[in-house]
Amino acid sequence: MALFATTVLCVVFASFAILYQVYLMPLLTVLGTFRTVQTFGLDAAACTRIPELQACEKIVLVQPSGLLYLACSTPESRLAWTPGMNQLNAEGRSSDDYVATYDSTTSKVARLRLEDFDSDQPISVHGMDVVSSASNASELFVYMINHRAPSGQDPRKVGADSVIEVFKATVSENRLFHIKTVRDPTIVSPNDIAGLADGKGFYFTNDHGSKAVYDSMIQNPWSATTSVGYCHIDHGCKIVASGLHSSNGIIKASSNDTIYVSSSFGGKITVFQKREDNSLSLMDVISIDQVLDNLSFDNEDRLWVAAFPRARDIEELLSKNLDHATPVAAFRISSNIGPSSNGEKYKVEKVSTSSANISTLLRS
């Protein structure tokens, strides 16, 4: 009997050790449970607060103008109405969300007016992309996630009525001209968007597998329930990548058909290749091992990703306390070539970490 009990205990401990090594330890690493954060690579004196820009979920750098396009709201509205985080208090959302441009050379901020946007609700902005037109160098297409409240229904029970808005603009004007509202069953819980230069096609991430809060709450955030969808405003939408973990940011390379998708709790970036039929082929996975958010390219076509070194801090900030000190980090990813590559395809550099209060970013 004693031998049997000893054997059972050995099996239990061995199983726990395997589970810890294979599942729990990688998860704790991504969440930064035991991570100590130190500020480096960032000169706080060089940072400037911009009070006209608050709670901007997405920032897009547009070349060659160098203008930044931002999808902004208010901090209080983000706490009340962020469907991807099951914050579904429609009464608490802002009625004055906006898209703005920021010129870093002049520090000028301009809010863009929405023209021909006939809606029974104010816009609720989230993910956004701004793409230069393939046919007109002076024209831009702006693809924007709009988290509408469901008409006559409780969003806490049915989720948000999220759609994609497509606008047209020129760099010289402070106006966005509405082209199309795209609503489709594949647009479940959209987080971010990557538009195409034809003004008609776009890819988007679903950060949950269902709209309804009671379904989303029981989904394990690390389970493979999220997806990437593709839409064409004339031909409809389809899911092009499924079974993904906590999909968040998405971006398409400007020079080729490579598409990158960040995984919040997976701590990785999945690399896809766009096919001729707009479906996606899995190419690579880039491990970062921190909670990830949006993606961006710089003017040298290097990929950047925003990260949160400690998950518990960002959860506290975005769900409860806008003044909670929350560290952030930035990683730069480039092709790893040369004799020092050691056979690794990508070079991942942690460019900066700040232990400063991110609520300053939300409020500025």
Side-chain angles (χ1 to χ4, degrees):
M1 188 66 177
L3 178 61
F4 176 75
T6 301
T7 303
V8 170
L9 285 174
C10 288
V11 171
V12 169
F13 281 122
S15 300
F16 179 78
I18 293 172
L19 288 172
Y20 181 82
Q21 286 292 114
V22 176
Y23 296 105
L24 187 57
M25 189 58 189
L27 176 59
L28 294 175
T29 299
V30 170
L31 295 180
T33 305
F34 307 111
R35 182 174 289 128
T36 300
V37 179
Q38 294 180 330
T39 298
F40 79 93
L42 180 68
D43 182 3
C47 296
T48 302
R49 189 168 184 259
I50 309 170
E52 301 98 320
L53 300 172
Q54 296 196 26
C56 301
E57 161 62 26
K58 185 68 182 286
I59 304 175
V60 182
L61 171 65
V62 176
Q63 299 288 11
S65 69
L67 285 177
L68 296 176
Y69 283 71
L70 306 96
C72 306
S73 183
T74 68
E76 294 75 19
S77 181
R78 294 293 188 203
L79 286 182
W81 185 250
T82 303
M85 296 188 66
N86 295 315
Q87 293 168 181
L88 293 162
N89 174 16
E91 291 76 18
R93 63 182 171 145
S94 166
S95 61
D96 194 31
D97 280 17
Y98 58 95
V99 176
T101 59
Y102 176 71
D103 187 336
S104 61
T105 61
T106 64
S107 300
K108 180 181 178 181
V109 175
R111 285 201 187 196
L112 307 186
R113 299 195 309 272
L114 305 184
E115 303 284 357
D116 304 324
F117 183 59
D118 184 17
S119 175
D120 60 345
Q121 297 185 26
I123 197 164
S124 293
V125 298
H126 193 110
M128 179 183 70
D129 197 14
V130 184
V131 184
S132 297
S133 169
S135 59
N136 185 345
S138 64
E139 190 174 67
L140 301 171
F141 293 111
V142 180
Y143 300 84
M144 195 182 313
I145 291 171
N146 179 14
H147 290 306
R148 291 169 49 88
S151 180
Q153 295 177 290
D154 184 353
R156 295 177 181 86
K157 295 181 179 179
V158 301
D161 177 26
S162 300
V163 298
I164 309 295
E165 310 288 0
V166 184
F167 294 87
K168 183 169 61 175
T170 60
V171 175
S172 60
E173 288 189 309
N174 294 332
R175 296 188 292 175
L176 298 178
F177 294 89
H178 190 243
I179 298 174
K180 181 85 172 180
T181 296
V182 181
R183 177 182 281 105
D184 190 87
T186 61
I187 303 173
V188 178
S189 180
N191 185 299
D192 198 13
I193 189 166
L196 301 184
D198 61 359
K200 294 188 173 185
F202 57 86
Y203 291 87
F204 63 94
T205 54
N206 284 314
D207 57 22
H208 284 77
S210 65
K211 286 179 176 287
V213 62
Y214 52 82
D215 288 336
S216 299
M217 287 291 285
I218 63 174
Q219 290 173 4
N220 186 323
W222 303 279
S223 63
T225 59
T226 69
S227 60
V228 175
Y230 167 80
C231 291
H232 189 283
I233 64 174
D234 295 331
H235 306 305
C237 304
K238 61 182 178 180
I239 296 296
V240 292
S242 58
L244 305 178
H245 295 266
S246 56
S247 299
N248 192 311
I250 185 170
I251 196 168
K252 179 184 176 298
S254 60
S255 58
N256 55 50
D257 285 334
T258 307
I259 290 176
Y260 302 84
V261 177
S262 64
S263 168
S264 293
F265 296 108
K268 62 186 179 182
I269 300 170
T270 305
V271 185
F272 293 98
Q273 183 70 22
K274 175 180 173 291
R275 294 175 175 172
E276 189 174 343
D277 65 352
N278 297 303
S279 61
L280 299 179
S281 295
L282 176 63
M283 303 297 291
D284 283 301
V285 175
I286 306 170
S287 294
I288 306 294
D289 288 337
Q290 291 194 18
V291 174
L292 303 182
D293 198 359
N294 288 331
L295 300 158
S296 183
F297 280 105
D298 62 20
N299 56 6
E300 296 181 18
D301 282 336
R302 294 174 299 187
L303 182 66
W304 290 70
V305 61
F308 301 107
R310 287 199 299 253
R312 65 180 183 273
D313 290 315
I314 190 64
E315 181 183 8
E316 173 77 15
L317 173 77
L318 296 180
S319 62
K320 300 176 184 178
N321 180 11
L322 286 174
D323 294 315
H324 181 71
T326 303
V328 294
F331 289 84
R332 183 173 59 209
I333 301 101
S334 55
S335 296
N336 202 7
I337 55 177
S340 61
S341 64
N342 296 320
E344 297 180 353
K345 188 173 182 179
Y346 300 99
K347 181 180 181 181
V348 179
E349 303 170 89
K350 185 163 66 173
V351 177
S352 67
T353 299
S354 172
S355 57
N357 192 344
I358 197 178
S359 67
T360 302
L361 304 180
L362 281 169
R363 297 183 185 278
S364 64

